[in-house]
Amino acid sequence: MTDPDFTAFLQAYPSYSSTYGLDDLRATEYGRLDASEQIYLDYTGGGLYAETQVRQHHELLSRHIFGNPHSANPTSLAATQLVEHTRAYILKFFNADPAEYDVIFTGNASGALKLVGESYPFAKGGQYLLTFDNHNSVNGIREFAHARGAKVTYIPVGLPDMRVDTATLDGYLATGEKGQHNLFAYPAKSNFSSVQHPLEWIERAHAAGWDVLLDAAAFAPTNRLDLGKVKPDFVPLSFYKIFGYPTGLGALVARRKALGKLQRPWFAGGTITVASVQGDKYYLAEGHAAFEDGTVDYLNIPAVEIGLKHIESNGIENIQERVRCLTGWLLDNLTVMKHSTGVPLVKVYGPTSTEARGGAVTVNFFDKDGKAIDHRAIEEAANKVNISLRTGCFCNPGAGELALGISRLELDVCFHGPGHEQRLTLDDFRNCIDGKSSGAVRISAGMITNFNDIQGLLLFANSLLS
Ligand SMILES: Cc1ncc(COP(=O)(O)O)c(C=O)c1O
């Protein structure tokens, strides 16, 4: 017999049926999920890998001999060939013209962001402009800006949708001093609210004289980033978020023109053409080579091409549509749950429709008297029924502070309190913002999420009603 909820779901989201191929894929390639009865809903934290990705990678490793690519011997050349092939494949995946864009391998998106931060020519008169809802690894770039005397400006996102309107953005963009180095950073998709900010901002910012850092770490797993159509200068990525395996690899996809602006603070093995001890001189290599410190992860890099092909064979638009349908169903059902007192079970931080948003739904749960239930208690309860959620502030303090109503004044009091000059534990912080939530619960769907996963989550939410 057909499940009436599934029938209602299909009526509300008929395009879901066009993504059934992903159910077949889940059965053949991700069988471990259902076998272990896990409900995985932390795709913004990390994607899941197909068995075939691991198999193909291990076959490659077991059939060949690869040496350190910094030489010209046969095993080294074999590794170089695979690394360069993968580099080219990444550009192809993002439809980036190799004459315009380059790929620098890093450990993760944070590594890519640090490369930009430490090398961008911040100086007095210049500015680092960023939205409130950036990940901490984008926030951290402000320390390089501060150290070099550049101005740091945050653009608040508006409640309740956590978006920025174009007029507000234009106002901030107009503050960049002409002739100075100005960098504007924003997430293509916020890892807190899942808001997808317009990619059209890139050209608005360019026209106003800004370089643009588009954080695509949370966006790329379920959306097409077409670098033939939009032209951000710097794009940090983490590959495990897109296809789960391998971890420990990311990239900075960057415009060659923008790379030319960067000034590396040091040199390392692999980044120079010539370095001299007695002459106290070094010459940086061109393009990506100047930014890849030491030996790249040459045994794992080929697994990136395998992963990208896996995504391509399933279709990124297909994945996006599936996630949109499931997120819509989750939002539709979660937002109408009420206690017997009439108090809603959840408050959603971010948009409650599927318009221009991704597959993460960030909420806090409330009891029947309207008191917030600590996110740690929700996590504990979810753990008991094998549901993997993310709780806390997800390394996105700006969005968290706005969503949770924590003011600048309260933060100043906390940070300047006795004994808090150098150290502040999370518990100290919680005590300090007494009575307010210090975090939230993020439920995020991804490529392999199915209807049952969402129903499992809704059943769990239902069990919290009184
Ligand atoms: C939007 C965004 N940017 C950057 C990062 C940092 O990624 P990583 O921890 O892989 O360096 C994350 C990770 O959650 C993210 O969601």
Side-chain angles (χ1 to χ4, degrees):
M1 225 177 72
T2 325
D3 171 359
D5 284 340
F6 190 60
T7 308
F9 167 59
L10 282 185
Q11 264 165 10
Y13 299 95
S15 58
Y16 185 76
S17 60
S18 68
T19 73
Y20 284 165
L22 288 166
D23 289 307
D24 300 337
L25 183 77
R26 176 165 167 147
T28 53
E29 289 291 338
Y30 299 80
R32 63 192 191 280
L33 253 183
D34 291 318
S36 59
E37 298 184 352
Q38 295 287 333
I39 298 182
Y40 184 79
L41 289 169
D42 187 20
Y43 284 85
T44 309
L48 297 181
Y49 53 85
E51 286 170 28
T52 180
Q53 285 172 251
V54 181
R55 228 176 9 249
Q56 284 180 45
H57 183 219
H58 283 191
E59 269 168 29
L60 182 81
L61 296 185
S62 51
R63 290 221 194 104
H64 297 88
I65 301 166
F66 296 115
N68 186 311
H70 283 158
S71 298
N73 60 53
T75 51
S76 170
L77 290 174
T80 301
Q81 202 216 339
L82 281 185
V83 168
E84 295 314 315
H85 202 268
T86 304
R87 200 188 302 280
Y89 204 86
I90 294 168
L91 290 174
K92 183 165 164 274
F93 183 86
F94 292 108
N95 193 28
D97 178 354
E100 188 178 12
Y101 278 93
D102 202 348
V103 172
I104 297 159
F105 286 110
T106 61
N108 47 29
S110 302
L113 287 157
K114 185 158 181 251
L115 275 182
V116 177
E118 69 185 11
S119 318
Y120 191 80
F122 288 119
K124 211 165 172 333
Q127 195 174 163
Y128 182 41
L129 177 67
L130 64 170
T131 54
F132 252 65
D133 59 349
N134 274 294
H135 188 275
N136 260 342
S137 301
V138 180
N139 290 326
I141 291 178
R142 74 180 185 216
E143 297 308 310
F144 294 110
H146 282 316
R148 296 195 210 119
K151 190 171 156 197
V152 175
T153 312
Y154 274 102
I155 307 175
V157 295
L159 293 174
D161 268 14
M162 309 199 76
R163 299 189 195 273
V164 178
D165 62 62
T166 311
T168 304
L169 176 79
D170 285 346
Y172 281 95
L173 289 175
T175 65
E177 264 187 51
K178 299 278 172 284
Q180 301 291 339
H181 293 297
N182 297 311
L183 180 64
F184 170 49
Y186 75 98
K189 179 177 132 189
S190 161
N191 71 319
F192 186 93
S193 62
S194 219
V195 158
Q196 290 181 194
H197 294 302
L199 297 181
E200 175 260 322
W201 285 1
I202 298 165
E203 278 326 298
R204 290 190 102 78
H206 279 160
W210 295 79
D211 294 314
V212 179
L213 188 162
L214 180 77
D215 180 1
F219 179 83
T222 49
N223 296 275
R224 184 172 296 285
L225 177 64
D226 185 340
L227 296 178
K229 290 199 178 126
V230 292
K231 307 282 179 187
D233 298 285
F234 305 108
V235 183
L237 295 164
S238 274
F239 291 115
Y240 71 91
K241 287 192 191 290
I242 309 179
F243 40 75
Y245 173 88
T247 50
L249 266 174
L252 175 64
V253 180
R255 276 175 110 178
R256 291 180 187 275
K257 201 168 77 181
L259 275 187
K261 246 191 183 189
L262 300 186
Q263 298 160 357
R264 292 227 65 196
W266 80 322
F267 66 91
T271 66
I272 42 95
T273 53
V274 173
S276 160
V277 168
Q278 294 184 84
D280 192 16
K281 181 94 184 145
Y282 70 93
Y283 297 86
L284 273 185
E286 293 288 316
H288 57 261
F291 294 88
E292 290 175 345
D293 297 335
T295 304
V296 292
D297 190 354
Y298 60 95
L299 290 184
N300 277 320
I301 284 174
V304 169
E305 182 169 339
I306 294 169
L308 291 174
K309 284 182 171 156
H310 177 62
I311 297 293
E312 274 175 335
S313 68
N314 290 291
I316 192 88
E317 279 82 9
N318 191 36
I319 295 166
Q320 181 179 7
E321 187 53 21
R322 184 180 183 86
V323 169
R324 188 192 72 79
C325 295
L326 292 168
T327 308
W329 181 253
L330 174 63
L331 283 164
D332 296 345
N333 285 280
L334 209 49
T335 51
V336 295
M337 286 188 181
K338 287 197 167 79
H339 292 285
S340 54
T341 51
V343 171
L345 178 66
V346 299
K347 178 172 183 189
V348 176
Y349 303 119
T352 50
S353 83
T354 58
E355 186 70 26
R357 63 122 61 234
V361 176
T362 295
V363 299
N364 262 322
F365 288 82
F366 292 82
D367 69 14
K368 66 177 188 355
D369 302 317
K371 189 167 172 291
I373 306 173
D374 193 306
H375 57 88
R376 290 165 297 175
I378 298 293
E379 182 171 43
E380 227 171 85
N383 289 351
K384 287 191 183 132
V385 289
N386 274 352
I387 299 180
S388 293
L389 301 170
R390 177 81 194 265
T391 65
C393 256
F394 336 128
C395 300
N396 198 319
E401 287 162 18
L402 288 182
L404 303 170
I406 303 170
S407 69
R408 165 78 197 264
L409 188 65
E410 282 170 286
L411 293 165
D412 279 349
V413 171
C414 285
F415 298 156
H416 296 111
H420 292 165
E421 294 81 11
Q422 298 296 332
R423 287 183 64 80
L424 184 75
T425 66
L426 198 52
D427 280 334
D428 292 338
F429 185 57
R430 282 195 187 106
N431 290 336
C432 201
I433 53 162
D434 189 30
K436 286 197 174 151
S437 290
S438 61
V441 177
R442 185 179 69 196
I443 307 153
S444 62
M447 172 177 181
I448 286 303
T449 308
N450 65 13
F451 181 71
N452 287 345
D453 289 335
I454 301 298
Q455 288 299 91
L457 188 281
L458 290 172
L459 194 68
F460 167 71
N462 203 55
S463 74
L464 300 169
L465 285 174
S466 53

